């Protein structure tokens, strides 16, 4: 199976469930992995932002990678989130982490440092040259403070052959359109924004790495498959059904929203690592109403 086949459709940026003492809740994690796979998502992404990568050590990340691989048992492709804002440290992680059983790496553009576009390019060029696996780059300016421009994305896509896709979460359709128009034929554009995945696929995106599919994998993956088949009349009702929930999941921070929903469903505890905290009681009530409407 080619990379393009493996990563067309719905991937989940999976949560990392925690116990009350904020250690990893392995029992809940196993239950969740089976839930996601049984509901027909195409692949899983471990230790992305939704997995609270910012508050896990590299040693913990390795434990998660090993566990997810073991429980998944080859049933779906796997992506390892390995990123950072210190290029040298990311390269050390590439060298030292054991990623056998994984199909690709997701690596976010450098955050906090606010490098200019040349610095972003050089960061990804260094990762490309040392890549132990194919890489999905990740543009999420709302979290990093810097957007990877169209020009830089295309430069990377043309120059860095170990970087085969971008997860695009800028929210800019000018960016999406220009990447689609000018990218190499085999370079994939993947939505990083649940709310605009339908129109992004209409523009040519190959699918989604989702947050909402943590809780609603079956119908969200079905919506994406309808879009990819050009069946937008069938996809639109599902897209609209979850639109308010998508907004609610991010309103008071992620993964706080989706962990609240998963807790209500009985899949994991409503626990995050500080500084991320649970959603407010008022927002809980709003999410409860949305859950009831979806279930209705």
């Amino acid at each position: 199976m080619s990379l393009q086949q493996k990563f067309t459709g719905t991937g989940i940026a999976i949560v990392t469930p925690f116990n009350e003492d904020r250690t990893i809740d392995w029992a809940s994690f196993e239950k969740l992995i089976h839930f996601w796979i049984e509901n027909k998502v195409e692949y899983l992404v471990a230790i992305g932002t939704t997995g609270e990568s910012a508050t896990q050590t590299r040693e913990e990340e390795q434990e998660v990678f090993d566990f997810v691989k073991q429980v998944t048992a080859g049933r779906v492709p796997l992506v390892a989130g390995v990123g950072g804002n210190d290029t040298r440290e990311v390269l050390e992680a590439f060298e030292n982490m054991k990623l056998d059983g994984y199909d690709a790496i997701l690596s976010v553009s450098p955050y906090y440092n606010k490098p200019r576009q040349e610095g972003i390019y050089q960061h990804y060029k260094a990762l490309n040259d040392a890549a132990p696996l194919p890489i999905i780059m990740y543009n999420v300016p709302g979290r990093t403070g810097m957007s990877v421009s169209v020009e830089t994305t295309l430069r990377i896509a043309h120059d860095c052959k170990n970087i085969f896709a971008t997860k695009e979460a800028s929210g800019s359709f000018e960016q999406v359109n220009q990447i689609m128009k000018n990218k190499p034929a085999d370079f994939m554009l993947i939505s990083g924004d649940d709310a605009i995945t339908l129109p992004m696929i209409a523009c040519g995106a190959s699918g989604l790495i989702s947050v909402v599919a943590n809780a609603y994998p079956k119908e969200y993956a079905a919506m994406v498959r309808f879009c990819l088949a050009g069946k937008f009349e069938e996809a639109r009702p599902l897209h609209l059904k979850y639109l308010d929930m998508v907004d609610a999941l991010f309103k008071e921070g992620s993964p706080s929203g989706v962990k609240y929903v998963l807790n209500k469903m009985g899949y994991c505890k409503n626990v995050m690592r500080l500084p991320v905290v649970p959603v407010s009681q008022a927002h809980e009530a709003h999410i409860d109403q949305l859950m009831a409407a979806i279930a209705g």
Side-chain angles (χ1 to χ4, degrees), residues 97-116:
M97 295 186 108
K98 296 178 177 63
L99 298 176
D100 54 295
Y102 280 74
D103 300 272
I105 288 169
L106 176 71
S107 199
V108 67
S109 64
Y111 44 82
Y112 189 76
N113 307 38
K114 300 187 82 169
R116 65 185 179 93

Side-chain angles (χ1 to χ4, degrees), residues 198 223 227 231-241:
L198 184 152
M223 185 274 288
C227 290
K231 297 179 178 179
F232 290 99
E233 290 294 330
E234 291 90 335
R236 193 177 299 114
L238 292 170
H239 163 72
L240 296 174
K241 179 179 180 178

Side-chain angles (χ1 to χ4, degrees), residues 50-167:
T50 312
E52 297 179 68
S53 56
T55 49
Q56 294 194 55
T57 66
R58 291 294 189 197
E59 290 73 23
E60 286 178 313
E61 291 176 355
Q62 183 67 67
E63 289 180 20
V64 169
F65 293 150
D66 293 345
F67 184 80
V68 171
K69 178 184 70 173
Q70 175 190 337
V71 176
T72 301
R75 288 177 288 169
V76 294
L78 295 176
V79 180
V82 185
N85 65 335
D86 178 347
T87 308
R88 180 180 59 180
E89 192 278 332
V90 178
L91 293 174
E92 289 174 355
F94 276 15
E95 184 175 352
N96 296 325
M97 295 186 108
K98 296 178 177 63
L99 298 176
D100 54 295
Y102 280 74
D103 300 272
I105 288 169
L106 176 71
S107 199
V108 67
S109 64
Y111 44 82
Y112 189 76
N113 307 38
K114 300 187 82 169
R116 65 185 179 93
Q117 293 299 312
E118 182 63 24
I120 294 172
Y121 172 82
Q122 292 296 340
H123 172 83
Y124 277 117
K125 180 68 166 60
L127 269 53
N128 171 82
D129 294 347
L133 289 171
I135 295 172
I136 303 168
M137 59 186 290
Y138 181 19
N139 182 34
V140 57
R143 288 189 179 271
T144 64
M146 290 289 290
S147 186
V148 185
S149 70
V150 170
E151 293 76 15
T152 300
T153 301
L154 293 172
R155 187 180 173 197
I156 292 166
H158 285 281
D159 293 355
C160 301
K161 294 310 176 186
N162 289 322
I163 299 176
F164 74 97
T166 182
K167 178 185 176 185

